[in-house]
Amino acid sequence: LGFVDAAKGLGMLAIIWGHMDYLWSTSSVWFSSFKIAVFYVVVGLLKAYRYGERGQRDSCAQVMKKRWYSLVIPYGVFSALAILAHLAFLTIHGGSRLAALKGDVILTVTLRGVATLWFLPTLLIAELLFAAVRPEGWSAAKRILVCVLAPAILCVIGYFYQGMDIPGADRLWVQVVRNLFVVLAKSVSGFWFMLCGYLLYRRGKPQRLGRLPVLAVLLAVNLGLSLLSPDLDFNSFKLGSFAPVFYLNGVLGSVAVLELLRWLEARISLRPLIWCGRHSMFLMATHLPWQIAPELVMLGKRFYLAQTPTAPYFLMMLAEFAVLMLIEAALVWCKEKVKAAMTGRWGKERPICKAVKYL
């Protein structure tokens, strides 16, 4: 299933691109339609394959045990490193370190996460929801009802949340409640994408879409729908001016990308994307939380400060993107060397080695 890792890699590259595209060009609007959803859809796909081949059913306890080393511990480690990186950034560029420390700690404790680290707890909660409801035993009517009703409710909630003027927003308890609400809303959204991925690949046959003309039409529709709601910010649970598009387009774009990469895998090497997919958590946890992308964007602005997304703007952004990926490749290399050294010294079964394995 190399195309699955490639899909995660493409989603990760799209996330990084969006964080470097400070003018939010059409490319970032398009990528935002599937770059987050594809990770949840991939988990649903893998569950469908696992259940179909081995009949495996994960309980909440099994999910928690499995994800303790792959999500919970990495969330704590990467959060601590992100906070240190943020403080170092403010030391260099100026700013209130105490206020930043307080804000980052609140974000971490409430599972909202520093920068992109919100994804780890929401993925865990989404998987726990999936294990709790056990959709493999649902009737067809129940599957349809949940698939239609869940995004409808989330759209209504998102609509009122976007337009809500919260009094006393700077109070601690308000920040905590708001953060917990956003985490829950994003987790339920992730569960829905996971459920759709599971049902599509367990009950349907998306592989039939794997013809180039069909995939081109799907991606064209995906692009067109994304332009209907360009002001999307899922991190803050702002679903854009036309919220239903986010859910519909997330599934459409994710399936189209997965089947396109399945088609390409039989014809060309996807090794660069597969590498990004296998290290996607590390890339997600470092490029923004460690201030790598912001520093490169600031450096690029010294050479060329764009007002509109023209050709020179994209050339500068591509140069920044290339430098960032070289830095990330070096960091991954160092990380793998440290992991190999620790495993070789203490063995794979030591708790610390299990924890480091997934970083």
Side-chain angles (χ1 to χ4, degrees), residues 117-144:
L117 295 177
W118 63 265
F119 177 76
L120 303 184
T122 58
L123 177 60
L124 174 62
I125 297 170
E127 285 210 62
L128 289 172
L129 287 172
F130 189 94
V133 301
R134 293 182 173 271
E136 66 275 2
W138 288 359
S139 64
K142 188 173 181 179
R143 291 196 296 266
I144 294 171

PDB file of all heavy atoms in Angstrom, residues 117-144:
ATOM      1  N   LEU A 117       0.234  20.774  16.149  1.00  0.00           N
ATOM      2  CA  LEU A 117       0.180  19.603  17.021  1.00  0.00           C
ATOM      3  C   LEU A 117      -1.239  19.222  17.437  1.00  0.00           C
ATOM      4  O   LEU A 117      -1.448  18.178  18.056  1.00  0.00           O
ATOM      5  CB  LEU A 117       1.050  19.841  18.269  1.00  0.00           C
ATOM      6  CG  LEU A 117       2.545  19.971  17.990  1.00  0.00           C
ATOM      7  CD1 LEU A 117       3.311  20.269  19.263  1.00  0.00           C
ATOM      8  CD2 LEU A 117       3.085  18.699  17.341  1.00  0.00           C
ATOM      9  N   TRP A 118      -2.220  20.055  17.108  1.00  0.00           N
ATOM     10  CA  TRP A 118      -3.618  19.730  17.401  1.00  0.00           C
ATOM     11  C   TRP A 118      -4.036  18.423  16.734  1.00  0.00           C
ATOM     12  O   TRP A 118      -4.966  17.746  17.195  1.00  0.00           O
ATOM     13  CB  TRP A 118      -4.538  20.853  16.910  1.00  0.00           C
ATOM     14  CG  TRP A 118      -4.500  21.068  15.435  1.00  0.00           C
ATOM     15  CD1 TRP A 118      -3.743  21.967  14.750  1.00  0.00           C
ATOM     16  CD2 TRP A 118      -5.258  20.367  14.427  1.00  0.00           C
ATOM     17  NE1 TRP A 118      -3.965  21.875  13.390  1.00  0.00           N
ATOM     18  CE2 TRP A 118      -4.895  20.895  13.179  1.00  0.00           C
ATOM     19  CE3 TRP A 118      -6.196  19.344  14.480  1.00  0.00           C
ATOM     20  CZ2 TRP A 118      -5.433  20.442  11.987  1.00  0.00           C
ATOM     21  CZ3 TRP A 118      -6.746  18.885  13.282  1.00  0.00           C
ATOM     22  CH2 TRP A 118      -6.365  19.443  12.059  1.00  0.00           C
ATOM     23  N   PHE A 119      -3.341  18.070  15.634  1.00  0.00           N
ATOM     24  CA  PHE A 119      -3.773  16.905  14.862  1.00  0.00           C
ATOM     25  C   PHE A 119      -3.650  15.613  15.662  1.00  0.00           C
ATOM     26  O   PHE A 119      -4.488  14.707  15.521  1.00  0.00           O
ATOM     27  CB  PHE A 119      -2.945  16.802  13.577  1.00  0.00           C
ATOM     28  CG  PHE A 119      -3.275  15.596  12.745  1.00  0.00           C
ATOM     29  CD1 PHE A 119      -4.427  15.568  11.977  1.00  0.00           C
ATOM     30  CD2 PHE A 119      -2.458  14.476  12.749  1.00  0.00           C
ATOM     31  CE1 PHE A 119      -4.748  14.447  11.219  1.00  0.00           C
ATOM     32  CE2 PHE A 119      -2.768  13.360  12.002  1.00  0.00           C
ATOM     33  CZ  PHE A 119      -3.916  13.345  11.232  1.00  0.00           C
ATOM     34  N   LEU A 120      -2.638  15.498  16.510  1.00  0.00           N
ATOM     35  CA  LEU A 120      -2.391  14.235  17.214  1.00  0.00           C
ATOM     36  C   LEU A 120      -3.524  13.877  18.177  1.00  0.00           C
ATOM     37  O   LEU A 120      -4.042  12.753  18.126  1.00  0.00           O
ATOM     38  CB  LEU A 120      -1.045  14.296  17.940  1.00  0.00           C
ATOM     39  CG  LEU A 120       0.178  14.589  17.061  1.00  0.00           C
ATOM     40  CD1 LEU A 120       1.454  14.522  17.876  1.00  0.00           C
ATOM     41  CD2 LEU A 120       0.246  13.629  15.892  1.00  0.00           C
ATOM     42  N   PRO A 121      -3.949  14.776  19.082  1.00  0.00           N
ATOM     43  CA  PRO A 121      -5.069  14.404  19.957  1.00  0.00           C
ATOM     44  C   PRO A 121      -6.392  14.223  19.220  1.00  0.00           C
ATOM     45  O   PRO A 121      -7.191  13.360  19.598  1.00  0.00           O
ATOM     46  CB  PRO A 121      -5.153  15.554  20.970  1.00  0.00           C
ATOM     47  CG  PRO A 121      -4.403  16.676  20.376  1.00  0.00           C
ATOM     48  CD  PRO A 121      -3.372  16.072  19.484  1.00  0.00           C
ATOM     49  N   THR A 122      -6.629  15.000  18.162  1.00  0.00           N
ATOM     50  CA  THR A 122      -7.892  14.830  17.436  1.00  0.00           C
ATOM     51  C   THR A 122      -7.932  13.491  16.708  1.00  0.00           C
ATOM     52  O   THR A 122      -8.991  12.860  16.622  1.00  0.00           O
ATOM     53  CB  THR A 122      -8.131  15.977  16.428  1.00  0.00           C
ATOM     54  OG1 THR A 122      -7.035  16.042  15.509  1.00  0.00           O
ATOM     55  CG2 THR A 122      -8.266  17.309  17.140  1.00  0.00           C
ATOM     56  N   LEU A 123      -6.792  13.049  16.209  1.00  0.00           N
ATOM     57  CA  LEU A 123      -6.747  11.727  15.572  1.00  0.00           C
ATOM     58  C   LEU A 123      -7.015  10.635  16.593  1.00  0.00           C
ATOM     59  O   LEU A 123      -7.760   9.680  16.324  1.00  0.00           O
ATOM     60  CB  LEU A 123      -5.384  11.507  14.905  1.00  0.00           C
ATOM     61  CG  LEU A 123      -5.166  10.140  14.247  1.00  0.00           C
ATOM     62  CD1 LEU A 123      -6.198   9.893  13.149  1.00  0.00           C
ATOM     63  CD2 LEU A 123      -3.754  10.030  13.679  1.00  0.00           C
ATOM     64  N   LEU A 124      -6.446  10.774  17.790  1.00  0.00           N
ATOM     65  CA  LEU A 124      -6.671   9.786  18.841  1.00  0.00           C
ATOM     66  C   LEU A 124      -8.145   9.737  19.243  1.00  0.00           C
ATOM     67  O   LEU A 124      -8.743   8.647  19.333  1.00  0.00           O
ATOM     68  CB  LEU A 124      -5.814  10.117  20.066  1.00  0.00           C
ATOM     69  CG  LEU A 124      -6.049   9.252  21.307  1.00  0.00           C
ATOM     70  CD1 LEU A 124      -5.727   7.794  21.022  1.00  0.00           C
ATOM     71  CD2 LEU A 124      -5.241   9.768  22.486  1.00  0.00           C
ATOM     72  N   ILE A 125      -8.754  10.897  19.461  1.00  0.00           N
ATOM     73  CA  ILE A 125     -10.169  10.934  19.871  1.00  0.00           C
ATOM     74  C   ILE A 125     -11.058  10.377  18.760  1.00  0.00           C
ATOM     75  O   ILE A 125     -12.023   9.645  19.016  1.00  0.00           O
ATOM     76  CB  ILE A 125     -10.582  12.374  20.243  1.00  0.00           C
ATOM     77  CG1 ILE A 125      -9.776  12.848  21.454  1.00  0.00           C
ATOM     78  CG2 ILE A 125     -12.077  12.447  20.553  1.00  0.00           C
ATOM     79  CD1 ILE A 125      -9.937  14.327  21.762  1.00  0.00           C
ATOM     80  N   ALA A 126     -10.731  10.715  17.500  1.00  0.00           N
ATOM     81  CA  ALA A 126     -11.508  10.196  16.373  1.00  0.00           C
ATOM     82  C   ALA A 126     -11.433   8.670  16.322  1.00  0.00           C
ATOM     83  O   ALA A 126     -12.444   7.987  16.084  1.00  0.00           O
ATOM     84  CB  ALA A 126     -10.991  10.797  15.065  1.00  0.00           C
ATOM     85  N   GLU A 127     -10.253   8.113  16.553  1.00  0.00           N
ATOM     86  CA  GLU A 127     -10.117   6.647  16.561  1.00  0.00           C
ATOM     87  C   GLU A 127     -10.869   6.015  17.729  1.00  0.00           C
ATOM     88  O   GLU A 127     -11.447   4.929  17.601  1.00  0.00           O
ATOM     89  CB  GLU A 127      -8.636   6.270  16.610  1.00  0.00           C
ATOM     90  CG  GLU A 127      -7.916   6.463  15.285  1.00  0.00           C
ATOM     91  CD  GLU A 127      -6.769   5.488  15.119  1.00  0.00           C
ATOM     92  OE1 GLU A 127      -7.021   4.269  15.093  1.00  0.00           O
ATOM     93  OE2 GLU A 127      -5.631   5.955  15.028  1.00  0.00           O
ATOM     94  N   LEU A 128     -10.847   6.688  18.873  1.00  0.00           N
ATOM     95  CA  LEU A 128     -11.597   6.165  20.023  1.00  0.00           C
ATOM     96  C   LEU A 128     -13.094   6.183  19.741  1.00  0.00           C
ATOM     97  O   LEU A 128     -13.817   5.243  20.100  1.00  0.00           O
ATOM     98  CB  LEU A 128     -11.280   6.997  21.272  1.00  0.00           C
ATOM     99  CG  LEU A 128      -9.867   6.818  21.856  1.00  0.00           C
ATOM    100  CD1 LEU A 128      -9.618   7.837  22.956  1.00  0.00           C
ATOM    101  CD2 LEU A 128      -9.682   5.402  22.396  1.00  0.00           C
ATOM    102  N   LEU A 129     -13.577   7.236  19.091  1.00  0.00           N
ATOM    103  CA  LEU A 129     -14.992   7.295  18.709  1.00  0.00           C
ATOM    104  C   LEU A 129     -15.333   6.169  17.740  1.00  0.00           C
ATOM    105  O   LEU A 129     -16.378   5.520  17.853  1.00  0.00           O
ATOM    106  CB  LEU A 129     -15.307   8.653  18.073  1.00  0.00           C
ATOM    107  CG  LEU A 129     -15.362   9.856  19.003  1.00  0.00           C
ATOM    108  CD1 LEU A 129     -15.478  11.149  18.189  1.00  0.00           C
ATOM    109  CD2 LEU A 129     -16.554   9.741  19.955  1.00  0.00           C
ATOM    110  N   PHE A 130     -14.438   5.935  16.796  1.00  0.00           N
ATOM    111  CA  PHE A 130     -14.659   4.864  15.812  1.00  0.00           C
ATOM    112  C   PHE A 130     -14.749   3.506  16.502  1.00  0.00           C
ATOM    113  O   PHE A 130     -15.623   2.688  16.201  1.00  0.00           O
ATOM    114  CB  PHE A 130     -13.519   4.865  14.790  1.00  0.00           C
ATOM    115  CG  PHE A 130     -13.752   3.965  13.615  1.00  0.00           C
ATOM    116  CD1 PHE A 130     -14.315   4.462  12.449  1.00  0.00           C
ATOM    117  CD2 PHE A 130     -13.421   2.617  13.672  1.00  0.00           C
ATOM    118  CE1 PHE A 130     -14.544   3.628  11.358  1.00  0.00           C
ATOM    119  CE2 PHE A 130     -13.642   1.785  12.591  1.00  0.00           C
ATOM    120  CZ  PHE A 130     -14.200   2.295  11.432  1.00  0.00           C
ATOM    121  N   ALA A 131     -13.832   3.283  17.458  1.00  0.00           N
ATOM    122  CA  ALA A 131     -13.839   2.009  18.182  1.00  0.00           C
ATOM    123  C   ALA A 131     -15.073   1.877  19.067  1.00  0.00           C
ATOM    124  O   ALA A 131     -15.602   0.778  19.256  1.00  0.00           O
ATOM    125  CB  ALA A 131     -12.572   1.898  19.030  1.00  0.00           C
ATOM    126  N   ALA A 132     -15.553   3.010  19.608  1.00  0.00           N
ATOM    127  CA  ALA A 132     -16.709   2.970  20.509  1.00  0.00           C
ATOM    128  C   ALA A 132     -18.000   2.651  19.773  1.00  0.00           C
ATOM    129  O   ALA A 132     -18.841   1.894  20.276  1.00  0.00           O
ATOM    130  CB  ALA A 132     -16.834   4.304  21.238  1.00  0.00           C
ATOM    131  N   VAL A 133     -18.181   3.206  18.572  1.00  0.00           N
ATOM    132  CA  VAL A 133     -19.455   3.025  17.863  1.00  0.00           C
ATOM    133  C   VAL A 133     -19.489   1.745  17.038  1.00  0.00           C
ATOM    134  O   VAL A 133     -20.560   1.269  16.667  1.00  0.00           O
ATOM    135  CB  VAL A 133     -19.761   4.241  16.957  1.00  0.00           C
ATOM    136  CG1 VAL A 133     -19.837   5.514  17.775  1.00  0.00           C
ATOM    137  CG2 VAL A 133     -18.736   4.399  15.846  1.00  0.00           C
ATOM    138  N   ARG A 134     -18.313   1.196  16.696  1.00  0.00           N
ATOM    139  CA  ARG A 134     -18.227  -0.059  15.941  1.00  0.00           C
ATOM    140  C   ARG A 134     -19.140  -0.075  14.709  1.00  0.00           C
ATOM    141  O   ARG A 134     -20.158  -0.779  14.666  1.00  0.00           O
ATOM    142  CB  ARG A 134     -18.564  -1.252  16.850  1.00  0.00           C
ATOM    143  CG  ARG A 134     -17.550  -1.489  17.950  1.00  0.00           C
ATOM    144  CD  ARG A 134     -17.888  -2.706  18.792  1.00  0.00           C
ATOM    145  NE  ARG A 134     -16.818  -2.993  19.732  1.00  0.00           N
ATOM    146  CZ  ARG A 134     -15.773  -3.777  19.470  1.00  0.00           C
ATOM    147  NH1 ARG A 134     -15.668  -4.322  18.281  1.00  0.00           N
ATOM    148  NH2 ARG A 134     -14.837  -3.986  20.375  1.00  0.00           N
ATOM    149  N   PRO A 135     -18.804   0.697  13.691  1.00  0.00           N
ATOM    150  CA  PRO A 135     -19.697   0.839  12.524  1.00  0.00           C
ATOM    151  C   PRO A 135     -19.808  -0.410  11.665  1.00  0.00           C
ATOM    152  O   PRO A 135     -20.686  -0.474  10.800  1.00  0.00           O
ATOM    153  CB  PRO A 135     -19.051   1.992  11.742  1.00  0.00           C
ATOM    154  CG  PRO A 135     -17.608   1.944  12.121  1.00  0.00           C
ATOM    155  CD  PRO A 135     -17.586   1.503  13.553  1.00  0.00           C
ATOM    156  N   GLU A 136     -18.939  -1.416  11.865  1.00  0.00           N
ATOM    157  CA  GLU A 136     -18.998  -2.599  10.997  1.00  0.00           C
ATOM    158  C   GLU A 136     -20.310  -3.352  11.149  1.00  0.00           C
ATOM    159  O   GLU A 136     -20.726  -4.092  10.257  1.00  0.00           O
ATOM    160  CB  GLU A 136     -17.813  -3.535  11.282  1.00  0.00           C
ATOM    161  CG  GLU A 136     -17.798  -4.196  12.649  1.00  0.00           C
ATOM    162  CD  GLU A 136     -17.177  -3.338  13.725  1.00  0.00           C
ATOM    163  OE1 GLU A 136     -16.780  -2.191  13.431  1.00  0.00           O
ATOM    164  OE2 GLU A 136     -17.095  -3.806  14.876  1.00  0.00           O
ATOM    165  N   GLY A 137     -21.017  -3.133  12.291  1.00  0.00           N
ATOM    166  CA  GLY A 137     -22.273  -3.840  12.492  1.00  0.00           C
ATOM    167  C   GLY A 137     -23.507  -3.023  12.155  1.00  0.00           C
ATOM    168  O   GLY A 137     -24.634  -3.477  12.367  1.00  0.00           O
ATOM    169  N   TRP A 138     -23.323  -1.846  11.624  1.00  0.00           N
ATOM    170  CA  TRP A 138     -24.466  -0.972  11.333  1.00  0.00           C
ATOM    171  C   TRP A 138     -25.252  -1.463  10.125  1.00  0.00           C
ATOM    172  O   TRP A 138     -24.695  -2.033   9.191  1.00  0.00           O
ATOM    173  CB  TRP A 138     -23.989   0.445  11.048  1.00  0.00           C
ATOM    174  CG  TRP A 138     -23.496   1.170  12.263  1.00  0.00           C
ATOM    175  CD1 TRP A 138     -23.457   0.718  13.546  1.00  0.00           C
ATOM    176  CD2 TRP A 138     -22.951   2.498  12.301  1.00  0.00           C
ATOM    177  NE1 TRP A 138     -22.934   1.669  14.385  1.00  0.00           N
ATOM    178  CE2 TRP A 138     -22.612   2.774  13.646  1.00  0.00           C
ATOM    179  CE3 TRP A 138     -22.718   3.467  11.343  1.00  0.00           C
ATOM    180  CZ2 TRP A 138     -22.040   3.980  14.047  1.00  0.00           C
ATOM    181  CZ3 TRP A 138     -22.155   4.667  11.723  1.00  0.00           C
ATOM    182  CH2 TRP A 138     -21.832   4.926  13.058  1.00  0.00           C
ATOM    183  N   SER A 139     -26.541  -1.163  10.161  1.00  0.00           N
ATOM    184  CA  SER A 139     -27.376  -1.419   8.984  1.00  0.00           C
ATOM    185  C   SER A 139     -27.134  -0.322   7.947  1.00  0.00           C
ATOM    186  O   SER A 139     -26.549   0.721   8.251  1.00  0.00           O
ATOM    187  CB  SER A 139     -28.853  -1.418   9.380  1.00  0.00           C
ATOM    188  OG  SER A 139     -29.227  -0.118   9.855  1.00  0.00           O
ATOM    189  N   ALA A 140     -27.595  -0.564   6.721  1.00  0.00           N
ATOM    190  CA  ALA A 140     -27.415   0.423   5.651  1.00  0.00           C
ATOM    191  C   ALA A 140     -28.103   1.745   5.995  1.00  0.00           C
ATOM    192  O   ALA A 140     -27.566   2.828   5.741  1.00  0.00           O
ATOM    193  CB  ALA A 140     -27.952  -0.140   4.340  1.00  0.00           C
ATOM    194  N   ALA A 141     -29.290   1.656   6.593  1.00  0.00           N
ATOM    195  CA  ALA A 141     -30.031   2.877   6.955  1.00  0.00           C
ATOM    196  C   ALA A 141     -29.269   3.693   8.003  1.00  0.00           C
ATOM    197  O   ALA A 141     -29.198   4.928   7.912  1.00  0.00           O
ATOM    198  CB  ALA A 141     -31.414   2.497   7.485  1.00  0.00           C
ATOM    199  N   LYS A 142     -28.676   3.017   8.956  1.00  0.00           N
ATOM    200  CA  LYS A 142     -27.935   3.721  10.003  1.00  0.00           C
ATOM    201  C   LYS A 142     -26.682   4.367   9.431  1.00  0.00           C
ATOM    202  O   LYS A 142     -26.316   5.494   9.808  1.00  0.00           O
ATOM    203  CB  LYS A 142     -27.561   2.751  11.124  1.00  0.00           C
ATOM    204  CG  LYS A 142     -26.967   3.448  12.346  1.00  0.00           C
ATOM    205  CD  LYS A 142     -26.767   2.469  13.487  1.00  0.00           C
ATOM    206  CE  LYS A 142     -26.201   3.177  14.715  1.00  0.00           C
ATOM    207  NZ  LYS A 142     -26.024   2.223  15.855  1.00  0.00           N
ATOM    208  N   ARG A 143     -26.019   3.677   8.521  1.00  0.00           N
ATOM    209  CA  ARG A 143     -24.818   4.246   7.897  1.00  0.00           C
ATOM    210  C   ARG A 143     -25.163   5.519   7.148  1.00  0.00           C
ATOM    211  O   ARG A 143     -24.469   6.535   7.261  1.00  0.00           O
ATOM    212  CB  ARG A 143     -24.182   3.225   6.946  1.00  0.00           C
ATOM    213  CG  ARG A 143     -23.568   2.030   7.648  1.00  0.00           C
ATOM    214  CD  ARG A 143     -22.626   1.280   6.720  1.00  0.00           C
ATOM    215  NE  ARG A 143     -23.336   0.701   5.580  1.00  0.00           N
ATOM    216  CZ  ARG A 143     -23.798  -0.539   5.542  1.00  0.00           C
ATOM    217  NH1 ARG A 143     -23.646  -1.333   6.604  1.00  0.00           N
ATOM    218  NH2 ARG A 143     -24.406  -0.998   4.467  1.00  0.00           N
ATOM    219  N   ILE A 144     -26.240   5.478   6.377  1.00  0.00           N
ATOM    220  CA  ILE A 144     -26.653   6.654   5.600  1.00  0.00           C
ATOM    221  C   ILE A 144     -27.053   7.796   6.527  1.00  0.00           C
ATOM    222  O   ILE A 144     -26.685   8.956   6.309  1.00  0.00           O
ATOM    223  CB  ILE A 144     -27.815   6.284   4.650  1.00  0.00           C
ATOM    224  CG1 ILE A 144     -27.333   5.286   3.595  1.00  0.00           C
ATOM    225  CG2 ILE A 144     -28.390   7.536   3.988  1.00  0.00           C
ATOM    226  CD1 ILE A 144     -28.433   4.708   2.749  1.00  0.00           C
TER     227      ILE A 144
END
